[in-house]
Amino acid sequence: MDTAVVALSQLKNPRTAGLRTRRGNVRSIFRKLYLNMKRSRQKIPGLTLLGHSEKSMPTSPDRARLETFPNPHPQRKYWIRLDCPDFTSLCPVTGQPDFAHITIDYVPGKKCLETKALKFYLNSFRNEPAFNEQVVNRIHDDLVRACRPRILKITGQFAPRGGLGLSVVVEYPRVGAAVAAPKG
C-alpha cells in the first residue's frame, strides 16, 4: 500500500519526484503499482466468487453458494449489518414479483459472511416462487447453517400489495436475543 501512495504521489508531480515525464517512466510506475497490488492479494480458502467477475448469478437458492471467511476478531462481540433494499421473489399463487427490503444484522461467531456470495444468494430468489414468510425463514436457516453467528436478526419488509404491507422478523438463537441490534 505504501508503494501505491508513493507511486501516485510521484505521478502527481513527476518533476519534484525526480522523474522524467516520458511515457515509459509513467508506464513503469503503473506496472510496478499493478504488480505490487497483484502480489498483495490474499488467497482465502473457500472463496470462489470474490475476484471472479465472470461468475454468473445462480438460478435458485438451492444452486447458490453462501461463502464465509474467518472472523478477524472472534473474541469481540460486534454487529454487522447487511442491507438489501431491492430484494425480489415470486408470489407462488400469481407469479408476480414480491419486492422487499431485507436487513440482516448479526454478531459473527468464528466466520463472517462474504458479501458477494450473499448478493448472489439473495438475487437467486428472483425466480423462486415462495410466500414471504417462507423466504425470510429460508434465508435465516441458510445463514445460520453457513456461518453459525452468535446472534442473527433478519427483517424482511415487503412492499404493500392490495394496501397491506408485510414485515417478517426472524431471530437466532431465540426471540429477543437480537434486542440490541443496531437501529437503522
Side-chain angles (χ1 to χ4, degrees), residues 51-91:
H52 299 280
S53 59
E54 70 280 358
K55 299 284 185 179
S56 60
M57 292 285 177
T59 56
S60 75
D62 293 330
R63 292 176 170 241
R65 179 178 173 168
L66 284 166
E67 297 182 351
T68 60
F69 60 92
N71 181 355
H73 301 284
Q75 74 287 355
R76 187 175 295 149
K77 181 180 175 182
Y78 62 98
W79 286 95
I80 297 175
R81 170 169 281 176
L82 301 163
D83 212 23
C84 180
D86 57 354
F87 179 86
T88 56
S89 62
L90 294 176
C91 173

Side-chain angles (χ1 to χ4, degrees), residues 8 10 19 26 43 45 52-53 57 64 95 101 104 117 123 175 177:
L8 289 176
Q10 289 174 346
L19 295 176
V26 172
K43 296 283 186 192
H52 299 280
S53 59
M57 292 285 177
H101 185 145
I104 300 166
N123 282 335
V175 175

Side-chain angles (χ1 to χ4, degrees), residues 97-132:
D98 283 326
F99 299 96
H101 185 145
I102 303 287
T103 304
I104 300 166
D105 291 306
Y106 76 103
V107 176
K110 294 180 181 177
K111 298 178 181 177
C112 294
L113 292 167
E114 195 281 309
T115 54
K116 183 174 182 178
L118 179 66
K119 177 182 77 168
F120 277 36
Y121 169 78
L122 292 174
N123 282 335
S124 72
F125 281 90
R126 291 180 183 222
N127 300 319
E128 190 73 12
F131 289 107
N132 300 336

Side-chain angles (χ1 to χ4, degrees), residues 61-62 66 87 89 100-104 121-122 125 128 130-146 152-158 166-175:
D62 293 330
L66 284 166
F87 179 86
S89 62
H101 185 145
I102 303 287
T103 304
I104 300 166
Y121 169 78
L122 292 174
F125 281 90
E128 190 73 12
F131 289 107
N132 300 336
E133 299 85 355
Q134 185 181 359
V135 167
V136 176
N137 277 283
R138 165 82 188 266
I139 294 169
H140 166 274
D141 293 345
D142 290 346
L143 294 184
V144 167
R145 194 172 12 263
L152 172 68
K153 180 179 180 181
I154 301 176
T155 305
Q157 294 179 312
F158 289 83
L166 174 72
S167 291
V168 180
V169 178
V170 184
E171 296 180 2
Y172 171 83
R174 64 192 180 284
V175 175

